[in-house]
Amino acid sequence: MATTTRGRIDKRQAILEGAFTVFAREGYAQACVQEIAREAGVAKPTVYNHMTDKATLFRNAMEAAARAILDQRIAALEPLATPGDDLHATLEEVAHTLLRLHTDGRSCALRRLLYSEITHFPDILDIVKESGPDRLTRALADRLARLALAGRLRATDPDLTAEQFLALLLGPLEARTQLGTRSLEDAELRTMARDAVETFVRAWAA
Amino acid sequence: MATTTRGRIDKRQAILEGAFTVFAREGYAQACVQEIAREAGVAKPTVYNHMTDKATLFRNAMEAAARAILDQRIAALEPLATPGDDLHATLEEVAHTLLRLHTDGRSCALRRLLYSEITHFPDILDIVKESGPDRLTRALADRLARLALAGRLRATDPDLTAEQFLALLLGPLEARTQLGTRSLEDAELRTMARDAVETFVRAWAA
DNA sequence: TCTCATTTGAACTCATGGGTTCAACATAAT
DNA sequence: ATTATGTTGAACCCATGAGTTCAAATGAGA
């Protein structure tokens, strides 16, 4: 519900956040604008003051959520810039952080919404992917290329290596989290990170 | 549209297939029963003769589609029962078949529908998973255990090994197929199978 | 040929929800 | 104080679609 603050603070922001929340809970078609307005603590016409359509409301909400979520992931790769002498441990740390971010509620909701509405909003994929998994893979590939150059990893295609690292790490998540509906204990995340990194290192360490 | 065959042949089957087709194309909420009836070549009241609800229609259609799709995958593991002397080649063959099945239109549609409606139909996950990825992973783990016992693979947890094999193989698909909306050339599937198996073997061969 | 179960099309009811209108109101700047 | 801009709630229009009803038509089996 939220308090019915009159006047103008940051309605637009509130609308986008409320919209994402409701869309995430209900799906695009089932979400009704009335409820989004309520969630954002705003009147329905106000929503239409800022967004022309339910569709563009959806697009904007998705874009905002994606941007917020995905910046964190790039930041999670930071430790790989200065890996110290224990590469294995650094990889595990990064892996664990990525798993934690990837299993976050909003993150899962974003993936679910992408999957469900990609046929009706194919353009959203471009908006999200550009700032999303692609950027993450590329950033990781950059780090790995450095490591390969330093003789600490097998020197082959860093893009492939990055792709496989992420696959090994995030692939098992889908089944474990029931497509993102179940949350995992931190201990389980640790184990998954350890398993993925161990296999990765066995295949790719120089 | 289909010809308006009167009398009763296999209305029920037609309805389930038509329903899955339309649900796959439109999503649950946007699909309308009228159109499903048309797709199945059947009148709307006939649909309600067989199914009480749009919801149960959805459940039944998903279950039927899942069963049909997933049996093929188990069958794809067959070559691993008699791997011959070239394990690497056999793995590549199996990997390639799995990729082909996984990128099939109906298969992608099933995944999309699962993702999108899992919050409204949590029970469908059980129906599908039981006969789905879980069974595949278990079946693969069985094969791998045999291979480990025969001294051809590193002898550790076969469940983990199977999970990682599938992750390495199928993980990169998501990005490459644009969440299942783009179809891939067979050559690209071959390359992906080769890359996944090569890394897998490097990490797990005895 | 007669009967029973099923199908069919069309029309109907009813609820939901997108999008708009409008008059009253609040806020900020001048 | 006044004006311009934005917000509010409530009511409204209208399209869509789930689910039902019914009389007419059909097919399978006896």
Side-chain angles (χ1 to χ4, degrees), chain A residues 26 29-30 112 115-116 118-120 125 129 154 163-164 167 172 174-176 178 195 199 202-204, chain B residues 26 29-30 112 115-116 118 120 125 129 154 163-164 167-168 172 174-176 178 195 199 202-204:
Chain A
E26 310 283 347
Q30 284 96 331
R112 271 205 310 276
Y115 260 107
S116 49
I118 192 172
T119 49
H120 298 90
L125 184 66
K129 269 195 49 169
R154 197 181 276 259
E163 198 178 33
Q164 290 190 341
E174 186 173 307
R176 302 273 184 109
Q178 317 263 69
D195 289 340
T199 296
R202 212 183 297 135
W204 291 102
Chain B
E26 310 284 346
Q30 284 96 331
R112 271 205 310 276
Y115 260 106
S116 50
I118 192 172
H120 299 90
L125 185 65
K129 268 195 50 167
R154 199 179 273 258
E163 198 178 32
Q164 291 191 340
L168 224 32
E174 188 172 305
R176 303 273 184 108
Q178 318 260 71
D195 289 341
T199 296
R202 211 184 295 135
W204 291 103

Side-chain angles (χ1 to χ4, degrees), chain B residues 13-199:
Chain B
Q13 196 57 28
I15 288 170
L16 289 178
E17 281 171 21
F20 182 75
T21 303
V22 175
F23 281 134
R25 193 189 325 141
E26 310 284 346
Y28 176 75
Q30 284 96 331
C32 90
V33 177
Q34 187 69 254
E35 189 182 350
I36 290 175
R38 226 186 316 128
E39 179 79 31
V42 139
K44 186 159 75 139
T46 306
V47 173
Y48 285 101
N49 270 0
H50 290 267
M51 309 286 168
T52 66
D53 245 358
K54 188 184 179 184
T56 65
L57 172 58
F58 182 65
R59 265 184 261 266
N60 289 336
M62 289 291 279
E63 186 172 359
R67 213 178 293 282
I69 286 174
L70 300 162
D71 286 343
Q72 307 177 313
R73 295 206 235 227
I74 305 289
L77 301 181
E78 214 35 55
L80 281 179
T82 56
D85 53 351
D86 192 346
L87 178 58
H88 199 107
T90 309
L91 282 172
E92 268 190 38
E93 182 195 345
V94 169
H96 177 253
T97 309
L98 283 175
L99 280 181
R100 199 167 33 75
L101 293 175
H102 207 76
T103 50
D104 171 73
R106 294 174 76 80
S107 191
C108 293
L110 181 68
R111 269 200 312 289
R112 271 205 310 276
L113 281 172
L114 256 185
Y115 260 106
S116 50
E117 301 307 329
I118 192 172
T119 47
H120 299 90
F121 298 90
D123 54 299
I124 290 189
L125 185 65
D126 303 327
I127 299 173
V128 171
K129 268 195 50 167
E130 188 45 37
S131 60
D134 283 0
R135 233 178 80 213
L136 181 66
T137 311
R138 260 184 282 127
L140 179 58
D142 290 345
R143 304 286 183 218
L144 296 182
R146 294 276 189 149
L147 291 168
L149 212 59
R152 309 187 66 172
L153 284 183
R154 199 179 273 258
T156 46
D157 182 7
D159 289 306
L160 175 63
T161 319
E163 198 178 32
Q164 291 191 340
F165 178 82
L166 292 175
L168 224 32
L169 182 65
L170 305 177
L173 265 188
E174 188 172 305
R176 303 273 184 108
T177 63
Q178 318 260 71
L179 277 58
T181 53
R182 217 188 52 145
S183 70
L184 299 180
E185 302 292 332
D186 191 71
E188 193 168 1
L189 295 186
R190 292 257 173 228
T191 308
M192 293 180 68
R194 189 148 29 82
D195 289 341
V197 168
E198 187 177 329
T199 296

Side-chain angles (χ1 to χ4, degrees), chain B residues 6-18:
Chain B
R6 291 215 164 194
R8 164 192 351 145
I9 328 163
D10 240 359
K11 307 288 185 186
R12 190 190 182 85
Q13 196 57 28
I15 288 170
L16 289 178
E17 281 171 21

